[in-house]
Amino acid sequence: MIKYYYRQNKNSNLEIRDTFIENSWIVVENPVNDEIDYLVKKLKLDTGLIIDAIDVDEAPRLEIEAGLLYLFSRFAYTNSS
């Protein structure tokens, strides 16, 4: 799942968007292959860093590559069943 968040400089409200616009914050959770292809081919994100991001053993970290900021994080989810 891909979500896009955007905030205009003059507006303090964060918008949730359906499509990407420049300077958006992109949140990717459990991506399928089509979403990974979109991130790499259409948005021109680094393939290696995208692969790192989906590795469950990857440590949380911050990367800057070609002027783009990549933030890797992990969240613990509880099983509600």
Side-chain angles (χ1 to χ4, degrees):
M1 173 177 53
I2 300 176
K3 292 183 183 177
Y4 307 97
Y5 296 88
Y6 180 76
R7 185 179 68 89
Q8 295 179 10
N9 290 336
K10 297 179 183 179
N11 186 347
S12 62
N13 296 328
L14 189 64
E15 299 175 33
I16 299 173
R17 302 191 48 99
D18 293 329
T19 57
F20 174 78
I21 59 171
E22 191 171 340
N23 296 318
S24 292
W25 179 282
I26 304 170
V27 176
V28 181
E29 188 175 339
N30 297 322
V32 295
N33 288 336
D34 289 343
E35 291 172 325
I36 294 169
D37 288 344
Y38 168 78
L39 295 169
V40 171
K41 293 177 183 171
K42 296 288 186 187
L43 298 184
K44 300 185 182 348
L45 299 181
D46 184 271
T47 306
L49 290 174
I50 298 299
I51 291 170
D52 286 351
I54 60 176
D55 181 350
V56 295
D57 295 322
E58 192 66 33
R61 69 178 197 277
L62 183 72
E63 292 275 341
I64 298 175
E65 182 71 34
L68 299 174
L69 177 73
Y70 296 79
L71 175 64
F72 298 82
S73 62
R74 295 279 179 246
F75 296 95
Y77 292 98
T78 59
N79 187 348
S80 60
S81 56

